[in-house]
Each structure stands twice: as structure tokens, then as C-alpha cells.
Amino acid sequence: MWTFDTDDVKGADLLLGPADDNWLSNLEIWHPRLIAVLVMCGLGILAIWKWGLGILVAGAIALTPAVLVSSMDTGNLAAMDRLFADPTELSQSDQEMVRDVFENIKTHAPRAPFGAYTLEFRKADKIGPNAFALPGGTVVVTDALVEKFSDPDIIAGVLGHELAHVSERHSLRQLYRSMSIYVLVALMAGDVGPILEDVLLEGSALASLAYSREHEASADIIGVKTSHAAGYDAAALAEFFETLSGEHGDGGSEWRSTHPSNSDRITTIKKLAAEQ
Ligand SMILES: [Zn+2]
């Protein structure tokens, strides 16, 4: 048994006659056309990444049944309660105040795409003064948020912003975007079975997602409009961000990591609020 190996494929063919599998030796010759094909493939993949992904994500969202989205809310809330949240210790009057603002904001916000907006209170000191929305429309407000910001205008601004994340389906978009990479890797590894269960129903999946800057900006715009339409001072959202970004303690750090705040954002909110 011996092997013969050479880079000089043309020379070898002249010497030995064309190999049986001619197409193979043809491939080994460095064709300019091959480079062109490779470049085209690369560009194609880039194009799919840039435009196709958005289309895929929109398609996946349209195909996602509302009942699945609701169970994501239930699953995430249960995971939160297991991991770091306790029942609220807010006074009845504090809860009442937030509930009133919520009802008011809810009627002026864009429609909830997967059911209804619902409000949950939790004592979750680990995440400081915080509020976040689950994809199905469940909005969680922490005790620390209400203790720190008793101004209904600020609560309205924060809730308007969170409901906008729901109506624009931001967390589902982020989830499907990050999932598409996961699915691609899993496809190559040959195991796609438990992905949906693991990713969609496992509480940690959503918690680790941060909204993109683009999503934050769009939630700010819609939030400002909603809170103005509901009769609140829409500039209060800027005040909220100013207070949080002026702090260096634990309070608000979690909010800052999922809701990148900067002076540009505060300026934009003030400008938007003034235009209402
Ligand atoms: Zn946000």
C-alpha cells in the first residue's frame, strides 16, 4: 500500500493520465471562479444574517401561540420566586397607588399582543428598584422601586416604558435572535429536540437577556407618549434615569445593566416629553 500526494495536480494528471474522479482533481486546481463562488457564499451568509434573521424572527413571532407566551410568563415568574423574589411587603396604600397608575397607563398603551397586561409586586432586594415586563404582558414591580419613587408620574413613566417592551414584543425578538444562533449550533451538533422546552420555558433564558439600545429607544418613545396620553408628566421618566445613574450603590445597578442609561437617553426623553 502506498500513497502519492502532490500539489502539482496538473503535472500529476499529465504524468498519470487524468484521475478517475476528474471533478475532484479539478476542484484542487485553484480556480478564480471558485474564489468568486466562495465570496458569493460569504456575502450570501452576511445578507441572510442582516435581513433574513429579521424576517425569520418576525415569522417565528407570528407563529408563536399566545398560550406558549403566557406559559413563559408563568414559568419565569415561578423561577423568579424560587431564585430571588419574596411576596411583597408594600403597604396596601402603596400597592393601590401603583395599581391605579397601572390601570390608567394600561388603557392608553398599545394593545397587549398575547393577552392582557397584569401587574405583580415582589420584594426582590437583589435587583433593587426595578420593574420589568415578561413577554406575555406580566409586569413585575419591586418593593424597592415603589419605596424609592413614590411619585405617580415616575411610576407612570416606568410602566409606560415596560408596557412598550411588551406591545413591541421586544423580549421575544431578543429571545428568537439569540435562539437562532443556538438553533444553528444545535443543528450542526445534531440535537434540536429539547431546545424549545429548555430555552422558552426555562426561567433563566429571559433573565439573561438585555434589550438592545434600539429597543430601549423605542420603548422610551412609546412610554413617553403613553404616560402623556394618560395625563402624567412624561418628563418624569428622565428624572427616574437621572436618579438611578447618579447612584453608585447596589440600587439600580441591575436596571442599568439591562436598561443602559446615558445622558443622551435622558436628553432625548426630556425633548420628547416637551414635544407632547
Ligand atoms: Zn427598557
Side-chain angles (χ1 to χ4, degrees):
M1 178 75 192
W2 58 277
T3 58
F4 172 74
D5 207 355
T6 175
D7 289 334
D8 186 7
V9 182
K10 272 184 175 161
D13 279 351
L14 278 176
L15 197 67
L16 302 168
D20 282 347
D21 37 1
N22 217 349
W23 62 274
L24 192 63
S25 54
N26 269 336
L27 270 186
E28 287 179 341
I29 301 165
W30 196 236
H31 288 294
R33 205 187 295 165
L34 185 63
I35 303 176
V37 168
L38 285 176
V39 169
M40 295 293 280
C41 282
L43 289 177
I45 289 168
L46 276 179
I48 289 171
W49 200 249
K50 196 166 187 304
W51 296 290
L53 194 59
I55 296 168
L56 274 179
V57 166
I61 288 176
L63 291 173
T64 306
V67 62
L68 177 62
V69 185
S70 303
S71 63
M72 286 163 73
D73 279 27
T74 317
N76 276 276
L77 210 54
M80 231 188 101
D81 286 339
R82 207 170 53 237
L83 298 170
F84 61 90
D86 293 313
T88 181
E89 289 174 8
L90 287 176
S91 68
Q92 283 302 323
S93 65
D94 276 349
Q95 290 187 39
E96 208 89 328
M97 183 274 282
V98 179
R99 215 171 277 286
D100 279 352
V101 175
F102 185 77
E103 289 303 317
N104 200 0
I105 284 292
K106 204 168 87 168
T107 53
H108 291 87
R111 203 178 63 83
F114 299 106
Y117 295 120
T118 51
L119 179 63
E120 293 281 341
F121 293 104
R122 289 291 189 279
K123 182 175 168 59
D125 294 338
K126 212 182 133 192
I127 57 170
N130 220 322
F132 54 90
L134 298 171
T138 308
V139 176
V140 182
V141 171
T142 66
D143 285 10
L145 181 89
V146 187
E147 280 155 6
K148 193 167 187 61
F149 301 97
S150 52
D151 180 357
D153 289 322
I154 292 184
I155 301 288
V158 171
L159 291 178
H161 174 97
E162 290 306 322
L163 293 198
H165 279 314
V166 178
S167 67
E168 298 304 296
R169 303 160 176 89
H170 286 160
S171 38
L172 269 193
R173 280 182 217 283
Q174 289 294 102
L175 185 63
Y176 282 140
R177 255 176 194 271
S178 56
M179 252 178 80
S180 66
I181 298 162
Y182 185 27
V183 169
L184 216 65
V185 171
L187 273 174
M188 288 191 283
D191 175 23
V192 275
I195 283 180
L196 268 182
E197 281 165 57
D198 280 4
V199 178
L200 291 184
L201 302 178
E202 189 55 42
S204 56
L206 282 174
S208 63
L209 291 176
Y211 295 117
S212 68
R213 221 165 255 272
E214 193 190 340
H215 286 171
E216 284 307 320
S218 119
D220 283 346
I221 295 172
I222 299 169
V224 162
K225 286 187 176 152
T226 305
S227 111
H228 174 79
Y232 297 97
D233 174 12
L237 185 62
E239 201 186 310
F240 169 77
F241 285 126
E242 271 170 345
T243 310
L244 285 192
S245 59
E247 283 179 2
H248 300 286
D250 274 348
S253 61
E254 186 73 17
W255 177 280
R256 279 205 297 276
S257 67
T258 50
H259 291 75
S261 135
N262 52 44
S263 53
D264 283 356
R265 189 166 175 194
I266 293 168
T267 314
T268 310
I269 293 170
K270 283 183 177 163
K271 193 167 159 279
L272 274 168
E275 285 166 3
Q276 301 302 307

